[in-house]
């Protein structure tokens, strides 16, 4: 990574297939990768079906926000989740802000990137909503990281989890702990040090083998 020549022009790129972010041509860690490196995401029991379902639901919600959703064409597995999303929109009267939905951003101080699900006005306040169809235990850290991406931090947003269900109204949960971002940065620095130590250990082993 130290041999990469970064572009002088500031830009954030995302390789969706590899789930890799690059800032000015240099790879940076993602919010979910940091949380996973910290051991907070156990994907041992994740199934390909659950992954694809989650991706399809996220895409359908974004299409709905952009006004491009063809409801009749939704897969039967996805449709109930979107029905719940539409019911939640009507009940909560949120006003989505399309230009910041599925927004990719970068924090230049702590050098991480991520993609926020929904940015909206909820109860009169700018808000981040993280949509989940599966594991949600780390959503407070995700939303705290997104809330501190500069262009989003300017709004001082509130943070929420929307737990989408295959039947019925989704459950909305607010995150109000001001220490969530400090906790995320703790894991970011801890895993960065562990990765560095692992690289150094690998280099030292390689050097010893060459002797």
């Amino acid at each position: 990574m130290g041999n990469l020549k970064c572009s002088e022009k500031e830009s954030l790129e995302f390789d969706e297939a590899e789930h890799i972010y690059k800032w000015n041509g240099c790879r940076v860690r993602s919010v979910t990768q940091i949380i996973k490196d910290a051991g907070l995401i156990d994907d041992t029991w994740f199934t390909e079906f659950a992954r694809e379902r989650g991706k399809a639901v996220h895409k359908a919600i974004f299409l709905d926000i952009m006004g491009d959703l063809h409801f009749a064409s939704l897969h039967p597995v996805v449709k109930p989740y979107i029905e719940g999303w539409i019911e939640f929109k009507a009940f909560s009267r949120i006003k989505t802000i399309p230009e910041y939905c599925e927004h990719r951003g970068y924090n230049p101080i702590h050098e991480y990137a991520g993609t926020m699900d929904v940015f909206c006005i909820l109860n009169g306040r700018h808000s981040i909503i993280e949509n989940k169809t599966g594991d949600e235990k780390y959503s407070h850290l995700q939303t705290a990281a997104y809330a501190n991406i500069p262009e989003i931090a300017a709004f001082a947003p509130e943070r929420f989890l929307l737990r989408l269900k295959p039947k019925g109204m989704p459950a909305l949960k607010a995150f109000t702990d001001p220490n969530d971002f400090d906790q995320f940065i703790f894991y970011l620095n801890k895993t960065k040090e562990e990765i560095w130590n692992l690289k150094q250990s690998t280099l030292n082993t390689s050097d010893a083998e060459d002797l």
Side-chain angles (χ1 to χ4, degrees):
M1 191 163 151
N3 294 326
L4 287 176
K5 289 187 177 180
C6 302
S7 167
E8 293 182 1
K9 184 179 179 182
E10 291 190 348
S11 65
L12 180 64
E13 303 169 51
F14 180 64
D15 184 327
E16 190 166 357
E18 299 295 329
H19 200 83
I20 291 173
Y21 291 87
K22 290 184 179 180
W23 177 251
N24 298 344
C26 292
R27 183 171 177 174
V28 294
R29 291 200 294 163
S30 71
V31 171
T32 51
Q33 186 60 55
I34 290 163
I35 295 171
K36 186 174 180 179
D37 288 345
L40 302 178
I41 301 176
D42 181 8
D43 58 5
T44 305
W45 306 107
F46 284 7
T47 64
E48 190 61 26
F49 172 80
R51 287 190 185 93
E52 291 302 316
R53 180 193 62 197
K55 287 165 62 177
V57 169
H58 273 76
K59 183 176 180 180
I61 288 174
F62 181 63
L63 288 172
D64 178 62
I65 290 169
M66 301 304 292
D68 294 327
L69 179 67
H70 299 286
F71 188 80
S73 67
L74 289 174
H75 190 282
V77 171
V78 175
K79 189 173 288 187
Y81 292 93
I82 305 308
E83 289 174 339
W85 159 254
I86 292 171
E87 185 180 357
F88 165 74
K89 279 199 312 176
F91 177 80
S92 64
R93 298 184 179 180
I94 68 168
K95 181 182 178 183
T96 56
I97 305 173
E99 60 266 34
Y100 282 117
C101 293
E102 291 294 327
H103 174 72
R104 296 187 184 112
Y106 175 70
N107 183 307
I109 296 174
H110 298 289
E111 299 180 324
Y112 67 81
T115 302
M116 184 172 60
D117 286 349
V118 175
F119 197 59
C120 63
I121 304 292
L122 175 62
N123 299 326
R125 294 289 306 273
H126 284 95
S127 301
I128 294 170
I129 296 179
E130 179 70 16
N131 297 320
K132 292 291 184 186
T133 59
D135 192 4
E136 62 192 53
K137 295 189 293 292
Y138 51 88
S139 297
H140 62 298
L141 301 179
Q142 273 186 294
T143 54
Y146 301 147
N148 282 276
I149 288 172
E151 63 270 27
I152 302 303
F155 295 99
E158 295 188 344
R159 302 176 291 120
F160 296 90
L161 162 72
L162 187 65
R163 182 67 168 89
L164 296 154
K165 306 173 184 179
K167 186 177 181 180
M169 172 78 83
L172 187 69
K173 178 180 179 180
F175 297 124
T176 58
D177 189 338
N179 296 314
D180 284 346
F181 186 59
D182 289 338
Q183 187 181 5
F184 173 76
I185 295 304
F186 167 79
Y187 287 123
L188 181 153
N189 291 329
K190 181 175 182 289
T191 53
K192 185 188 293 184
E193 183 179 351
E194 289 172 351
I195 291 169
W196 171 256
N197 289 338
L198 179 61
K199 285 181 177 178
Q200 290 302 109
S201 175
T202 303
L203 286 172
N204 292 337
T205 301
S206 178
D207 289 344
E209 290 174 350
D210 289 339
L211 293 176

